[in-house]
Amino acid sequence: MSTLADIEASAEKNQITVHRYNKSNRRNLMFFYDLYIKTMEKVQAIYCISFPLIDDLLNDERNTELYLAHYNDKIVSGSIILKSKNNIFYWINASDSISLKFKPNHKVLSHIINEYSDMDYINLGFSHSDTLRQFKKTWGAKDFKYYVFEKLF
């Protein structure tokens, strides 16, 4: 198993860069949303967040940010965080399956953790698989019960 330092070094070596989404480049948001939908299909998610909601939330940079990982000038991963005064919630992550070997998700999460290291709490959210849970544990995450309520029609 790789250490966190090994994973970060791999992402650095593969020239993954991370940038905060700029609202003036809406095409990047559209590309991220396409990656998000593909990721949700890949993991067989039972829900997807609508584009209008994501777009609306990103209009308030005080409370929501999107970080994008680039490899060879192509977006290969991205994460949306929700912010409060002292807390971060790692809300949505999406990635290009082909580029996973370059560790773009690791690079994005590392960037977010470093950017907000002064926060009291960074919540890495729900894990839909053991693989994802183990990924989050490499960052020091701890398991907590999450209750999900579903409306039946």
Side-chain angles (χ1 to χ4, degrees), residues 16-83:
I16 301 289
T17 58
V18 177
H19 306 281
R20 187 179 306 152
Y21 166 67
N22 182 331
K23 287 191 291 188
S24 66
N25 192 342
R26 189 161 173 79
R27 191 173 63 176
N28 282 351
L29 179 57
M30 302 295 287
F31 192 88
F32 168 78
Y33 191 75
D34 184 57
L35 274 181
Y36 168 69
I37 294 299
K38 289 176 182 171
T39 299
M40 294 298 98
E41 289 170 355
K42 177 180 72 178
V43 301
Q44 299 176 347
I46 58 171
Y47 68 93
C48 286
I49 305 300
S50 71
F51 180 81
L53 177 59
I54 290 172
D55 188 34
D56 188 41
L57 289 170
L58 286 170
N59 281 321
D60 183 0
E61 294 174 0
R62 293 169 301 143
N63 295 315
T64 311
E65 291 179 347
L66 167 59
Y67 288 89
L68 299 168
H70 300 259
Y71 176 70
N72 288 338
D73 296 322
K74 179 185 174 196
I75 296 170
V76 294
S77 176
S79 298
I80 296 177
I81 61 168
L82 305 176
K83 305 181 298 184

Side-chain angles (χ1 to χ4, degrees), residues 121 124-125 133 136-137 139-145:
Y121 192 68
L124 298 182
R133 192 165 67 251
K136 290 177 180 181
K137 283 184 173 185
W139 300 92
K142 296 181 177 117
D143 287 328
F144 290 93
K145 285 190 178 190

Side-chain angles (χ1 to χ4, degrees), residues 77-119:
S77 176
S79 298
I80 296 177
I81 61 168
L82 305 176
K83 305 181 298 184
S84 67
K85 184 177 176 185
N86 297 310
N87 297 282
I88 296 293
F89 182 73
Y90 184 71
W91 185 41
I92 292 176
N93 183 74
S95 53
D96 171 15
S97 297
I98 296 169
S99 302
L100 286 177
K101 63 186 172 192
F102 300 123
K103 309 291 187 198
N105 296 331
H106 297 78
K107 185 72 173 184
V108 171
L109 188 53
S110 175
H111 183 89
I112 291 168
I113 289 170
N114 288 328
E115 180 90 10
Y116 293 101
S117 61
D118 60 332
M119 290 290 192

